[in-house]
């Protein structure tokens, strides 16, 4: 039967929490036996990542490697860590793969649900704030070792520029002006970005330094995957501009890496 | 002592139907029509933010005629149930047929309740086919479901019309509709049909890009097939 009781509620997360808490098992962490510490438990969740975002003159580039690790093993070689959210934003996730993917999916549905019911897009600032609530609601699991940390970026139509937001485990939201990288190889990627990023760089420059930063992260961090020329697996790169969210074609990414390798 | 009175079920049904058709007779029409690339939806509606046609889910749109307040609540409920189903299973598992049944049950229950006023609305639930689906999967075909106020629904082909003068519009479309129209031709056909109807009307409603609401479900679009056309776009298509 059609349930009409949630009229006027544009918060999909809240509706699910009330009507279908079973679908939010990991993000409703009070349900999970709080004494279990997953880090010490018998299984190891998939994790390990470098994801980053770089502001350039027309918007922002988001990128991530493709590897998920299971302890010291490679768990998955082709995982996606960047997800388009709406026409002008995308989310990247680092941490335990399962809850990460769930959070990205829920966040995307939330933003689209708001847009369709209200008839107008949720502002970039509004999206960034809502994501802070989602991270905060995962705190229980984070305490048990299943941390999820997103990096959020988008094109702000009002301010006419790309913007980047980073989060801490308790839901703190902080804005970065030029670039940021998170995950196990985040610090290595940030070092490269710090040296190579200049204000008002072009799209081509931005793609080049993003490829280089991910290369350096993979070089230093065992949990970050580099370009796999044999299997043809390359990092995913997205651009977010006034025109929308676009994935950089695999051939372009391959070319970026071939040029980078030629320079080494 | 008061005497209990008897009213036959046929009489109750007839009374409700008369009541609703008086309301619907006032409602401006919405036309949904298959064109080469998907489904084109056009309504007589000069307003800029209160819509009669709206996006429900990736391949599904809803068109409504009648009282806005009554279908608005169904529109939002449709989006909500679709998102929940898609979140639970997979986005392709959300279908127009399923949504139609949901609406149909609700509208039927309200129409049959002895103490409730039937909903003075008619709905069209539309789903655009996909280009990449296997030929026998059913996903390849466009689907249009017409739901009456009492929840009784029918599957329509090629085009469907709701609103007060739906019958007259269907008569015109039967003469003029051809398969595989391009979008400008399809839009022209609908606006011409509206003009013919309005020429006979008393209230002198002029059909211009400013007085119609246009949206489409495009087969070739990415995940979200629904697109609302701006006044400028409509002007260009009609010129």
């Amino acid at each position: 039967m059609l349930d009409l009781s949630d009229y006027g509620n544009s918060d999909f997360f809240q509706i699910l929490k009330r009507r279908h808490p079973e679908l939010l098992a990991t993000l409703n962490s009070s349900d999970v036996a709080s004494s279990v510490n997953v880090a010490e438990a018998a299984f190891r969740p998939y994790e390990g990542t470098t994801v980053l975002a770089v502001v350039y003159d027309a918007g922002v580039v988001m990128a991530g490697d493709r590897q998920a690790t299971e302890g010291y093993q490679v768990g998955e070689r082709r995982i996606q860590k960047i997800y388009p959210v709406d026409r002008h934003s995308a989310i990247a996730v680092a941490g335990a793969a399962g809850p990460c993917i769930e959070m990205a999916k829920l966040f995307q549905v939330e933003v689209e649900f708001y847009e369709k019911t209200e008839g107008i897009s949720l502002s970039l600032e509004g999206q960034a704030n809502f994501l802070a609530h989602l991270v905060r609601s995962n705190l229980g699991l984070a305490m048990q070792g299943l941390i999820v940390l997103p990096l959020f970026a988008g094109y702000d139509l009002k301010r006419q520029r790309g913007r980047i937001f980073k989060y801490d485990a308790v839901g703190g939201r902080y804005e970065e002006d030029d670039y940021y990288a998170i995950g196990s190889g985040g610090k290595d990627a940030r070092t490269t970005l710090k040296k190579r990023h200049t204000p008002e760089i072009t799209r081509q420059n931005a793609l080049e330094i993003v490829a280089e930063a991910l290369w350096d992260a993979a070089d230093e961090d065992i949990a970050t995957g580099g370009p796999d020329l044999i299997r043809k697996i390359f990092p995913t790169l997205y651009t977010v501009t006034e025109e929308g969210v676009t994935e950089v074609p695999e051939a372009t990414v391959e070319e970026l890496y071939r040029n980078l390798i030629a320079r080494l | 002592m008061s005497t209990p009175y008897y009213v036959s079920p046929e009489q109750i049904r007839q009374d409700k139907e008369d009541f609703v058709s008086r309301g619907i007779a006032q409602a401006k029409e919405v036309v949904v029509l298959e064109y080469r690339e998907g489904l084109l939806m056009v309504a007589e509606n000069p307003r800029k933010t209160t819509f009669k046609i709206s996006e429900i889910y990736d391949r599904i749109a809803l068109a409504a005629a009648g009282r806005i307040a009554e279908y608005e609540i169904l529109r939002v409920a449709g989006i909500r149930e679709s998102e929940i189903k898609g979140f639970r299973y997979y986005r392709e598992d959300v279908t127009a047929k399923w949504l139609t049944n949901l609406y149909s049950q609700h509208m039927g229950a309200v129409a049959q309740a002895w103490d409730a006023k039937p909903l003075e609305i008619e709905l069209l639930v539309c789903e655009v086919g996909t280009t990449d689906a296997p030929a026998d999967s059913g996903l390849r075909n466009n689907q249009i479901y017409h739901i009456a106020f009492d929840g009784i629904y029918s599957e329509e082909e090629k085009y469907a019309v709701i609103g007060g003068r739906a019958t007259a519009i269907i008569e015109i479309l039967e003469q003029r509709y051809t398969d595989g129209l391009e979008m400008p031709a399809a839009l022209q056909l609908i606006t011409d049909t509206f003009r013919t109807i309005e020429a006979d009307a008393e209230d002198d409603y002029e059909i211009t890009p400013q007085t119609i609401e246009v949206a489409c479900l495009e087969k070739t679009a990415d995940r979200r097939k629904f697109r609302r056309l701006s006044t400028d776009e409509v002007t260009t298509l009609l010129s």
Side-chain angles (χ1 to χ4, degrees):
Chain A
M1 205 63 208
L2 202 56
D3 183 344
L4 302 178
S5 58
D6 274 308
Y7 186 79
N9 185 356
S10 300
D11 184 348
F12 187 71
F13 183 44
Q14 207 180 53
I15 293 168
L16 274 191
K17 258 209 295 216
R18 192 179 65 75
R19 283 182 51 189
H20 299 285
E22 79 283 2
L23 293 178
L24 289 168
T26 57
L27 286 171
N28 228 4
S29 46
S30 54
D31 294 352
V32 180
S34 56
S35 59
V36 180
N37 188 324
V38 180
E40 292 164 7
F43 79 99
R44 291 168 188 273
Y46 282 6
E47 50 194 5
T49 283
T50 303
V51 289
L52 54 86
V54 171
V55 173
Y56 70 102
D57 57 5
V60 57
V61 181
M62 275 201 117
D65 73 304
R66 303 288 294 277
Q67 180 172 293
T69 51
E70 194 179 354
Y72 294 107
Q73 305 276 310
V74 172
E76 165 70 49
R77 292 178 203 282
R78 294 170 196 272
I79 202 167
Q80 291 287 343
K81 299 175 184 178
I82 317 285
Y83 300 88
V85 176
D86 73 354
R87 247 176 77 75
H88 296 105
S89 62
I91 180 177
V93 283
C100 274
I101 293 166
E102 185 188 336
M103 186 183 286
K105 180 179 163 190
L106 179 63
F107 181 57
Q108 191 276 324
V109 173
E110 173 81 29
V111 170
E112 191 172 313
F113 183 73
Y114 181 100
E115 184 195 322
K116 285 192 289 196
T117 53
E118 305 260 331
I120 186 167
S121 296
L122 181 57
S123 65
L124 192 69
E125 198 89 29
Q127 294 181 22
N129 286 339
F130 180 78
L131 187 54
H133 299 308
L134 276 189
V135 176
R136 172 70 182 77
S137 65
N138 195 50
L139 183 61
L141 276 186
M143 300 292 277
Q144 296 164 43
L146 285 179
I147 196 166
V148 177
L149 279 184
L151 186 64
F152 177 61
Y155 185 83
D156 193 322
L157 290 166
K158 281 193 200 115
R159 293 176 178 79
Q160 299 276 303
R161 62 177 167 87
R163 297 175 74 187
I164 299 170
F165 299 90
K166 63 175 180 180
Y167 298 85
D168 65 26
V170 288
R173 191 210 86 168
Y174 314 94
E175 183 162 4
E176 285 288 336
D177 285 336
D178 302 320
Y179 61 85
Y180 206 70
I182 59 167
S184 52
K187 192 162 176 293
D188 304 305
R190 287 203 298 276
T191 312
T192 305
L193 294 174
K194 183 193 258 177
K195 300 286 182 207
R196 303 270 276 120
H197 186 272
T198 48
E200 297 295 303
I201 55 170
T202 63
R203 177 178 181 274
Q204 184 58 30
N205 286 146
L207 295 182
E208 281 166 15
I209 69 168
V210 160
E212 192 174 328
L214 281 174
W215 173 274
D216 288 339
D219 204 31
E220 297 294 330
D221 173 40
I222 52 160
T224 298
D228 187 335
L229 296 165
I230 298 165
R231 294 190 185 83
K232 300 268 182 208
I233 304 169
F234 296 96
T236 29
L237 275 68
Y238 279 88
T239 57
V240 188
T241 62
E242 192 170 3
E243 282 73 46
V245 180
T246 324
E247 185 168 5
V248 179
E250 207 172 67
T252 313
V253 181
E254 181 171 356
E255 198 189 321
L256 283 171
Y257 276 101
R258 296 218 179 263
N259 292 342
L260 175 67
I261 291 164
R263 279 199 290 115
L264 291 173
Chain B
M1 204 179 103
S2 64
T3 321
Y5 60 90
Y6 175 78
V7 186
S8 71
E10 288 88 351
Q11 186 59 50
I12 295 173
R13 198 179 180 286
Q14 191 58 48
D15 284 354
K16 288 186 171 172
E17 202 168 319
D18 290 347
F19 166 75
V20 172
S21 38
R22 278 196 298 276
I24 298 282
Q26 311 288 320
K28 290 282 189 194
E29 295 72 16
V30 189
V31 176
V32 173
L33 187 138
E34 286 187 50
Y35 73 108
R36 218 171 73 85
E37 296 295 329
L39 291 165
L40 184 65
M41 294 164 279
V42 185
E44 290 191 359
N45 182 7
R47 287 171 288 272
K48 293 289 165 246
T49 57
T50 35
F51 298 119
K52 296 180 171 186
I53 305 161
S54 36
E55 176 184 16
I56 296 292
Y57 205 64
D58 301 356
R59 288 182 289 125
I60 304 172
L62 176 71
R67 291 190 182 274
I68 294 178
E70 291 180 358
Y71 67 69
E72 168 67 11
I73 199 164
L74 293 185
R75 175 185 78 86
V76 175
I79 297 172
R80 192 168 52 231
E81 299 307 320
S82 300
E83 290 288 3
I84 290 173
K85 190 176 184 199
F87 190 81
R88 181 189 291 271
Y89 304 113
Y90 185 57
R91 298 195 74 93
E92 267 186 17
D93 299 321
V94 179
T95 60
K97 179 74 195 300
W98 164 79
L99 186 64
T100 300
N101 275 316
L102 215 59
Y103 282 147
S104 159
Q105 270 186 26
H106 175 74
M107 290 161 78
V110 174
Q112 281 164 28
W114 67 273
D115 58 347
K117 176 192 86 66
L119 296 173
E120 292 168 80
I121 53 172
E122 272 184 288
L123 304 178
L124 289 175
V125 181
C126 312
E127 175 177 326
V128 73
T130 56
T131 46
D132 54 352
D136 58 350
S137 69
L139 290 174
R140 200 175 267 275
N141 302 324
N142 298 324
Q143 290 162 43
I144 308 171
Y145 298 97
H146 177 176
I147 316 178
F149 79 95
D150 52 4
I152 291 176
Y153 68 86
S154 55
E155 192 177 338
E156 310 279 344
E157 267 183 24
K158 296 185 166 96
Y159 47 79
V161 188
I162 46 175
R165 296 162 296 179
T167 320
I169 292 182
I170 288 170
E171 274 169 21
I172 298 173
L173 288 177
E174 272 169 4
Q175 310 276 325
R176 300 187 193 165
Y177 177 84
T178 48
D179 286 327
L181 288 171
E182 296 291 336
M183 189 194 268
L187 184 58
Q188 193 69 54
L189 169 61
I190 299 174
T191 48
D192 285 349
T193 307
F194 277 151
R195 273 196 201 96
T196 313
I197 291 292
E198 290 300 341
D200 303 333
E202 288 167 7
D203 66 350
D204 207 21
Y205 189 91
E206 200 189 342
I207 302 295
T208 69
Q210 284 76 30
T211 61
I212 53 172
E213 176 189 342
V214 184
C216 62
L217 285 167
E218 283 172 312
K219 273 187 185 176
T220 49
D222 289 342
R223 180 172 62 79
R224 290 171 77 177
K225 311 284 188 194
F226 183 86
R227 189 163 67 88
R228 214 176 268 296
L229 276 70
S230 67
T231 307
D232 287 348
E233 227 172 322
V234 173
T235 311
T236 316
L237 284 173
L238 285 174
S239 62

